[in-house]
Amino acid sequence: MLKIYNTLTRQKQDFTPISAGKASMYVCGPTVYDFIHIGNARTFTVFDMVYRWLRASDLEVNYVRNITDVDDKIITRAAENKESIDALTERMSAAMEADCARLGMATPTQQPRATQFVTGDAHSMVAMIQTLIDKGLAYAPGNGDVNYEVRKFDGYGKLSGKSLDDLRAGERVVVDKLKRDPMDFVLWKAAKPGEPFWESPWGNGRPGWHIECSVMSEATLGERFDIHGGGEDLTFPHHENEIAQSEGAHGHGFANYWMHARFLNIDNTKMSKSLGNFFTLRDVLNNLGARQEALRFFLLRGHYRSQTNYTVEALKEAEQNLTTMYISLKDFGSVKPGEIDWRDEYASRFRAAMDDDFNTPE
């Protein structure tokens, strides 16, 4: 039986899907203001592997990876480029899909965009925000914003293991006097002049980042689903806030299994634009030329819960190892997935390894 390390319980657990023979998975996708970087690529490649293994395990998989197409960074970049927000997000979304395809990723079952769910029926951001207000978990301070009151949600911190009191003690940002607690987070942001906006009961504005994923996952997979994934940097506050929103709105559990891929470092240093060690996936693939599969091999060579260090030398080594593997396989014919005999010793060992949290030595 497949075992998955669940960030929520901090242990490996047998994977038992909600619906027999089916699996539902939501992965936080990119904010499309620029080309995706190789850190994004590591996360997306990991969950592409998970998607493929679930399917190979005879499960019908509904794999959702969202696109955030309204955000402060998008608004700023569009203004810098002197282009419309729609033009920027369409161009960057197309580039993301093309780059992921070059890396051999399968297309997710669904790719919802945040702007499709701001207003409308019950599966809208405005509707969920109103539900949270009605339940006493959110409040409108009178400036056009709506904030989530984190101390009203008893389970806050259960995913990340963070204590609200510890977070409050370490607070260094300027306190918003309209917030009841500095840790409260925004659900709805009042529109500033020149920004895109939607009409709402609290005035013209746009959604906060966290509410987008709560609503898109519900609209595509339902109020409760099997797997929620993303990079480890999303554990707090994004995924923690998603839990508070979704469980607060519906009064029951959200995702059953939480998976997080570790960081991709550059020369043993966290990738950062400010440090100048930031590489887009497109640039790395272009530099590899015909050897692009080597990057996918490199990104999947280490276990998804271990940090991976990207260097030119490590990528070259991965390329050499991949070449060696193909040389050793050159005398074997191609095998279709349905033709694999899992009773074979090597196939059985491979399945056992993959079923152990997708090949972990731990």
Side-chain angles (χ1 to χ4, degrees):
M1 175 178 283
L2 173 62
K3 293 180 181 292
I4 295 177
Y5 181 86
N6 190 348
T7 307
L8 185 64
T9 61
R10 293 161 183 77
Q11 62 182 354
K12 290 182 190 177
Q13 294 179 275
D14 291 343
F15 177 62
T16 305
I18 294 170
S19 298
K22 298 181 179 181
S24 49
M25 180 169 71
Y26 183 92
V27 174
C28 290
T31 300
V32 285
Y33 72 100
D34 202 346
F35 297 110
I36 62 172
H37 53 68
I38 56 174
N40 300 136
R42 204 247 170 154
T43 298
F44 300 160
T45 304
V46 162
F47 287 100
D48 179 71
M49 173 271 294
V50 172
Y51 176 41
R52 290 172 182 275
W53 186 246
L54 292 173
R55 291 194 305 178
S57 302
D58 296 324
L59 293 169
E60 179 185 333
V61 187
N62 190 352
Y63 170 29
V64 179
R65 187 182 68 205
N66 77 288
I67 292 174
T68 295
D69 59 350
V70 58
D71 176 87
D72 291 340
K73 293 177 181 178
I74 291 172
I75 294 169
T76 300
R77 181 60 57 84
E80 291 172 350
N81 293 351
K82 294 182 172 56
E83 65 180 322
S84 71
I85 288 172
D86 286 346
L88 173 64
T89 56
E90 285 296 326
R91 183 163 58 83
M92 289 296 102
S93 295
M96 179 272 295
E97 292 183 13
D99 292 346
C100 287
R102 290 171 67 186
L103 202 55
M105 296 186 208
T107 303
T109 316
Q110 301 182 67
Q111 294 192 89
R113 298 188 179 209
T115 54
Q116 298 171 331
F117 299 90
V118 180
T119 60
D121 61 14
H123 296 304
S124 74
M125 298 171 202
V126 168
M128 181 175 280
I129 293 170
Q130 187 60 60
T131 297
L132 292 169
I133 292 174
D134 294 343
K135 291 195 171 188
L137 293 168
Y139 59 94
N143 64 340
D145 290 352
V146 179
N147 298 322
Y148 190 102
E149 191 168 2
V150 293
R151 290 190 183 273
K152 291 289 185 68
F153 181 70
D154 290 339
Y156 197 83
K158 63 183 178 180
L159 180 69
S160 61
K162 295 181 181 293
S163 157
L164 269 174
D165 291 331
D166 290 342
L167 291 167
R168 179 66 183 90
E171 185 66 48
R172 294 184 180 182
V173 300
V174 177
V175 176
D176 183 344
K177 294 181 180 179
L178 293 175
K179 286 185 176 182
R180 295 176 183 174
D181 187 289
M183 296 309 302
D184 292 351
F185 60 89
V186 67
L187 299 170
W188 186 260
K189 306 171 86 170
K192 297 177 183 177
E195 289 186 347
F197 66 84
W198 288 260
E199 295 180 354
S200 82
W202 319 286
N204 293 338
R206 54 191 173 87
W209 176 37
H210 310 302
I211 196 70
E212 294 177 356
C213 284
S214 280
V215 170
M216 284 188 281
S217 62
E218 177 188 332
T220 53
L221 298 175
E223 293 180 4
R224 190 160 194 163
F225 54 93
D226 294 314
I227 300 171
H228 196 317
E232 67 172 323
D233 55 319
L234 299 182
T235 308
F236 184 87
H238 185 51
H239 288 165
E240 196 74 72
N241 290 351
E242 279 189 65
I243 290 174
Q245 292 164 162
S246 296
E247 294 190 3
H250 301 305
H252 57 68
F254 181 34
N256 287 349
Y257 302 85
W258 288 83
M259 294 180 64
H260 293 93
R262 293 292 303 275
F263 286 132
L264 179 70
N265 290 337
I266 306 294
D267 291 323
N268 292 310
T269 303
K270 183 180 177 181
M271 187 170 61
S272 168
K273 288 184 178 180
S274 62
L275 295 175
N277 63 350
F278 174 87
F279 299 103
T280 68
L281 173 59
R282 175 158 293 199
D283 285 344
V284 174
L285 289 174
N286 287 343
N287 289 334
L288 282 170
R291 303 163 294 145
Q292 295 175 8
E293 191 179 12
L295 178 59
R296 181 181 176 92
F297 182 77
F298 167 77
L299 293 172
L300 291 175
R301 187 168 58 168
H303 187 254
Y304 77 92
R305 285 195 290 113
S306 63
Q307 285 191 345
T308 297
N309 188 47
Y310 176 88
T311 65
V312 173
E313 293 74 19
L315 186 56
K316 287 181 178 178
E317 180 188 353
E319 182 183 358
Q320 293 168 354
N321 291 342
L322 184 62
T323 299
T324 300
M325 183 175 71
Y326 276 130
I327 290 172
S328 66
L329 293 173
K330 67 181 178 65
D331 294 329
F332 291 87
S334 61
V335 178
K336 296 180 180 179
E339 295 176 350
I340 296 175
D341 182 359
W342 293 109
R343 296 168 298 179
D344 177 83
E345 177 189 356
Y346 295 103
S348 177
R349 286 165 55 186
F350 176 76
R351 167 167 268 177
M354 289 296 291
D355 278 347
D356 184 10
D357 195 29
F358 307 96
N359 193 20
T360 173
E362 299 175 3

